[in-house]
Amino acid sequence: MGLLERLRHAIDPDPDEQRDPEAGKRIAAAVLLLEMAHADHQHAPEEYAEIRRQLKAHFGLDDDETEELLAAAQPEAQEAVSLYRFLKTLNDGLDPTEKRQVLEMLWRVAYADRHLDAREEHLLREMAELLYLPHSEFIRAKLTVTGE
């Protein structure tokens, strides 16, 4: 089974089979990163380039695997009415350190164009809260990425 099939299986497995938790976490993170890129309604190329960099670095993917992951995540992001199931996947599968890393990835995407829109900051705050991270972690991630 190729990466794309494993990723799709992680989202919608056969009823008799188990989900692949690692693939589920990858898709959940990719969906959140795509949501962050879309928060300001700009679709800046810098943000998409940053999404690719973050996914490759965080999950140790090569270029083809990164593109397959994004291909699997994009329809999920477009069709999602709520981010709840993606956040639940991350909350259930990540420890606090890994959740902080996801928050920093989100900050890096939001700030890829060197401008932080109010909608982006609002979504970052909301995601930090929904990942059960304290406000201090929100600030730490912001300072790490923006250098402010």
Side-chain angles (χ1 to χ4, degrees):
M1 183 182 303
L3 178 63
L4 189 54
E5 291 89 19
R6 289 195 318 267
L7 293 170
R8 284 195 180 123
H9 179 74
I11 297 168
D12 191 19
D14 295 331
D16 298 331
E17 296 183 34
Q18 295 289 327
R19 291 181 185 262
D20 177 350
E22 286 305 310
K25 288 187 277 189
R26 288 177 182 184
I27 287 182
V31 167
L32 294 184
L33 294 172
L34 287 167
E35 283 297 313
M36 185 54 60
H38 300 157
D40 63 359
H41 306 292
Q42 295 296 317
H43 305 286
E46 303 92 346
E47 291 175 341
Y48 288 96
E50 189 62 37
I51 289 171
R52 286 176 173 84
R53 271 192 297 278
Q54 291 303 310
L55 293 173
K56 284 174 71 173
H58 188 77
F59 295 115
L61 304 175
D62 64 26
D63 290 339
D64 290 339
E65 291 169 329
T66 301
E67 293 307 317
E68 286 184 40
L69 175 56
L70 284 172
Q74 283 177 331
E76 291 292 316
Q78 291 170 346
E79 295 170 13
V81 176
S82 166
L83 297 177
Y84 172 78
R85 75 178 167 117
F86 305 108
L87 288 158
K88 181 172 179 12
T89 296
L90 295 178
N91 279 322
D92 290 350
L94 301 180
D95 65 31
T97 300
E98 292 170 316
K99 289 196 255 182
R100 284 190 290 271
Q101 291 170 344
V102 169
L103 181 61
E104 190 172 309
M105 291 167 65
L106 290 164
W107 266 103
R108 290 187 187 288
V109 170
Y111 201 64
D113 59 1
R114 300 294 179 239
H115 172 74
L116 187 63
D117 183 85
R119 289 173 292 233
E120 290 172 323
E121 186 165 3
H122 174 76
L123 185 57
L124 284 161
R125 286 180 189 277
E126 188 175 0
M127 286 194 194
E129 289 176 17
L130 293 171
L131 288 169
Y132 306 113
L133 292 170
H135 185 68
S136 61
E137 293 300 334
F138 171 84
I139 297 298
R140 184 179 307 173
K142 178 181 182 178
L143 295 175
T144 298
V145 172
T146 65
E148 293 178 7

